[in-house]
């Protein structure tokens, strides 16, 4: 077997512009443009034919034709009854922790009094109906059910629907039992055995029924779609955004570890392997100013990768262009690189992690110190594991309660509040060649704001100037 080596990018002694640094970061190719040609016909079929198209597409892509596209309540209960007690305890602990964090995240209303009779306030309103996508494929993700459903529930979303692919080994075409059991634990009873781009289409457009068990309407359209998925799910979300809201167009998962010479190379290697296990396109990046640590991690990878279950997948991921070891001149350059990379998950394993974290501007989530590995956040930290990928942490944020709420401003002016600024509003409107804007305000105080010859005199008479 060939020696496993992560490629090394040596930035020592280099002065790079911001553009050069951003361009140098290791990234996986999203490929959504190429996928769109395959996704568009799927969207069109579901929009036109509803449940009939969903069954055809499930048979084509997931190799099973579900009898019940909407999972029966009895199947949900059966899955919950059959759940291993230890796994159930772990799921319930995860739910308890994220609920506690989410409860503290609920935005509070605010109000600003600008003058007597002049107030602007802000309300946070839950989104009415949300579709949560839970992927299948190389692994099952009951954790994704928790990370999407709990914040939505705490936000006060009225209607939650989950879509997840049918299990390939279930002759009834039902999703994996552990996904159904997790939904049952959370009290989510609207679950569909639909995966891929067709699930996104179902959420965006709704779907009429085609068989008696579907009813006239199988699924009503949603207002927002959240949850990760493969390239086809990501592309479909991108293509329906605007018609519905989406959380993000998620790319392959990634980790960056910012470490210095005091970090444990075996632990760093284990954390890189853990992220690489997700997918051949997963990104694993070490940022360090220590040549000794870099060498130690390479040696640890050579020992550890052959012994992990998904060794081939891990080896492909670590050896890809999206992964690598970045050598820097010192902690300052390491921080610059971390901010340019804007990792989905950023571990900080340095002698003074707080000093480093204070200077991190771009990361989906930050894991402080050697005892805060990324899988803690995946399952049970209480934080959310749906995070911005592909460098989008420079402007995007983790999924949370705020994802499922809308801030709406309420403008409250009475006569006393509006009068002192009425003439100023008119002046502003006229400067933009929108005189009717000003006239509608002046109408509250003048009988004839349209008579421009006498306007200033009338404004003065009314006490507006």
């Amino acid at each position: 077997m060939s020696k496993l080596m992560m490629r090394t990018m040596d930035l020592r002694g280099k002065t790079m512009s911001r553009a050069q640094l951003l361009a140098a970061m290791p990234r996986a190719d999203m490929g959504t443009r190429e996928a769109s040609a395959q996704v568009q016909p799927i969207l069109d079929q579901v929009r036109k034919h509803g449940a009939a198209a969903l069954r055809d597409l499930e048979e084509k892509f997931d190799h099973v034709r579900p009898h019940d596209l909407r999972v029966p309540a009895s199947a949900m209960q059966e899955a919950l009854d059959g759940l291993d007690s230890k796994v159930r305890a772990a799921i319930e602990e995860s739910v308890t922790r994220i609920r506690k964090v989410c409860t503290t995240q609920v935005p509070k209303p605010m109000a600003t009094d600008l003058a007597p009779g002049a107030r602007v306030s802000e309300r946070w309103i839950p989104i009415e109906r949300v579709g949560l996508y839970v992927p299948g494929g190389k692994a099952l993700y009951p954790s994704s059910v928790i990370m999407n459903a709990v914040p939505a529930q705490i936000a006060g979303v009225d209607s939650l629907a989950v879509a997840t692919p049918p299990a390939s080994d279930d002759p009834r075409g039902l999703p994996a039992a552990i996904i159904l059991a997790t939904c049952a634990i959370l009290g989510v009873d609207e679950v569909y055995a639909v995966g891929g781009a067709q699930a996104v289409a179902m959420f965006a457009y709704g779907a009429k029924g085609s068989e008696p068990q579907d009813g006239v309407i199988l699924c009503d359209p949603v207002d927002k779609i959240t949850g990760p998925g493969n390239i086809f799910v990501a592309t479909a979300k991108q293509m329906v955004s605007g018609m519905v809201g989406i959380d993000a167009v998620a790319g392959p998962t990634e980790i960056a570890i910012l470490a210095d010479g005091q970090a444990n190379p075996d632990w760093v290697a284990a954390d890189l392997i853990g992220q690489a296990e997700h997918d051949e396109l997963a990104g694993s990046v070490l940022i360090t100013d220590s040549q000794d640590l870099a060498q130690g991690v390479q040696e640890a990878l050579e020992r550890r990768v052959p012994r992990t279950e998904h060794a081939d997948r891990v080896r492909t991921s670590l050896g890809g262009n999206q992964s690598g070891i970045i050598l820097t001149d010192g902690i300052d350059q390491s921080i610059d690189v971390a901010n340019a990379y804007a990792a989905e998950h950023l571990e900080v394993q340095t002698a003074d992690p707080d000093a480093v974290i204070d200077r991190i501007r771009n990361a989906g989530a930050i894991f402080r110190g050697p005892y805060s590995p990324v899988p803690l956040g995946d399952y049970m930290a209480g934080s959310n594991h749906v995070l911005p990928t592909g460098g989008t942490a420079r402007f995007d944020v983790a999924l949370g309660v705020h994802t499922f709420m809308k801030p709406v401003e309420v403008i409250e002016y009475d006569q006393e509040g509006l009068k002192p600024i009425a003439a100023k509003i008119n002046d502003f409107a006229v400067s933009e060649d929108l005189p009717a804007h000003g006239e509608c305000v002046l109408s509250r105080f003048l009988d004839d704001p349209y008579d421009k010859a006498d306007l200033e005199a009338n404004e003065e008479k009314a006490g507006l100037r």
Side-chain angles (χ1 to χ4, degrees), residues 146-197:
I146 297 168
M147 298 293 168
N148 283 270
V150 172
Q153 290 173 330
I154 298 298
V157 170
D158 289 338
S159 177
L160 291 178
V162 168
T164 190
S168 58
D169 58 354
D170 190 307
R172 299 169 294 177
L174 294 174
I178 192 169
I179 301 295
L180 299 182
T182 304
C183 289
I185 288 170
L186 290 165
V188 178
D189 59 7
E190 186 181 348
V191 182
Y192 297 91
V194 181

Side-chain angles (χ1 to χ4, degrees), residues 379-401:
Y379 300 113
M380 219 163 285
S383 59
N384 204 293
H385 78 197
V386 183
L387 303 167
T389 60
T392 59
R394 291 187 295 117
F395 53 82
D396 209 350
V397 297
L399 185 141
V401 173

Side-chain angles (χ1 to χ4, degrees), residues 119-138:
R119 167 178 283 196
V120 175
S121 57
E122 185 176 78
R123 299 175 56 214
W124 284 83
I125 303 172
I127 290 171
E128 187 174 348
R129 177 164 166 78
V130 172
L132 312 176
Y133 186 77
V134 179
K138 292 185 174 68

